[in-house]
Amino acid sequence: MAIETLVEWMKNSNSTVVLTGAGMSTESGIPDFRSQSGWWQNIDPRSVASVESLQHHYELFREFYQMRIEALTNIEPHIGHQILADWEKRGLVALIATQNVDQLHHKAGSEEVAELHGNIVTIRCTSCVKPHTIEHFLNNSVCTYCTGKLRPNVVLFGESLPQEAWNRSFNEIQNADLVIVIGTSLEVYPVNQLPRMARGKLVYINLDVSGSTRQFDLVLEGSAGEVLTKIDQKLALF
Ligand code: APR
């Protein structure tokens, strides 16, 4: 029943925005953060993913991001990413606002993607901000222009979000007829404030729905790949 309701809402929506988190990438083999098998079960994020770690524990910072970048090798988008990319092409999704830094939405073919937490596949110098290759970062090299330290273009704890991605996501979610939130615990500020900005229908697709879901008009418990496949099958009739 919930799937049919969502399909109806999608058909009648003039603008649908999708907000994704790490749960969108676990079926591609990338751990999320707060599930039992998540990154933060064994690592304190402040020690490796914060401005403080970049400035005062650079080696730990660099090793953590080297590990996460290398974990992306041979990782492919799964059926859920592909369905969202197909829905964009069919005019069913106007924007994907993502917290994910793996660019799997892009790899699946989505073009309208706002990276709210940046990404770990592009590198810059912390001092002169000039771009560098991933190889340069993985080889533990310094900036070729100013010998400054290199870092991924990811938003660290303690940093503000990229203005353009935030403004676009905020505005499009506010004006959307339908917002579908997929694979996120909604524990991290300020992205966790975005669903409440929605003036249209608000839907949650998540493996764990034990938290507070009263802000949602519809909750679909399950994995992103499976639920999106079921929705897509119903949509096929449309
Ligand atoms: N399908 C649907 N939901 C899933 C799946 C899946 N295959 N796998 C995991 N989930 C759900 C989990 O139940 C959990 O509620 O996705 C959610 C992932 O939550 P987090 O691990 O907290 O990830 P996220 O919400 O994206 O974290 C936000 O925290 O550490 C920072 O910058 C990091 O962007 C990240 C932010």
Side-chain angles (χ1 to χ4, degrees), residues 7-160:
V7 167
E8 268 317 295
W9 290 352
M10 286 180 69
K11 285 181 190 174
N12 300 324
S13 169
N14 293 315
S15 172
T16 297
V17 175
V18 175
L19 171 63
T20 63
M24 187 71 220
S25 295
T26 54
E27 289 159 89
S28 287
I30 302 176
D32 64 13
F33 296 95
R34 295 171 183 82
S35 294
Q36 284 316 307
S37 53
W39 287 109
W40 302 150
Q41 290 311 314
N42 309 309
I43 303 173
D44 172 1
R46 289 180 305 263
S47 66
V48 292
S50 65
V51 175
E52 204 269 339
S53 63
L54 171 62
Q55 290 171 346
H56 304 300
H57 308 289
Y58 182 73
E59 200 36 44
L60 213 54
F61 167 91
R62 201 195 61 74
E63 279 169 12
F64 176 67
Y65 283 102
Q66 171 167 344
M67 176 180 59
R68 286 187 62 193
I69 290 167
E70 287 172 344
L72 287 179
T73 314
N74 304 324
I75 291 286
E76 292 301 325
H78 62 75
I79 184 67
H81 293 105
Q82 284 150 13
I83 287 172
L84 291 178
D86 178 48
W87 288 359
E88 175 190 285
K89 288 179 181 54
R90 290 160 60 187
L92 291 164
V93 166
L95 173 71
I96 296 179
T98 188
Q99 300 171 89
N100 297 341
V101 295
D102 52 37
Q103 294 210 331
L104 287 180
H105 286 303
H106 301 76
K107 223 172 170 182
S110 291
E111 293 179 5
E112 300 306 323
V113 180
E115 292 184 314
L116 291 162
H117 289 167
N119 66 69
I120 58 172
V121 296
T122 57
I123 305 294
R124 71 174 187 265
C125 171
T126 52
S127 305
C128 71
V129 298
K130 284 205 172 61
H132 283 69
T133 64
I134 282 218
E135 290 68 33
H136 221 88
F137 178 74
L138 296 178
N139 294 337
N140 198 5
S141 306
V142 295
C143 173
T144 47
Y145 304 92
C146 75
T147 72
K149 293 174 184 164
L150 301 181
R151 60 165 289 175
N153 286 316
V154 63
V155 177
L156 301 176
F157 285 105
E159 289 185 316
S160 50

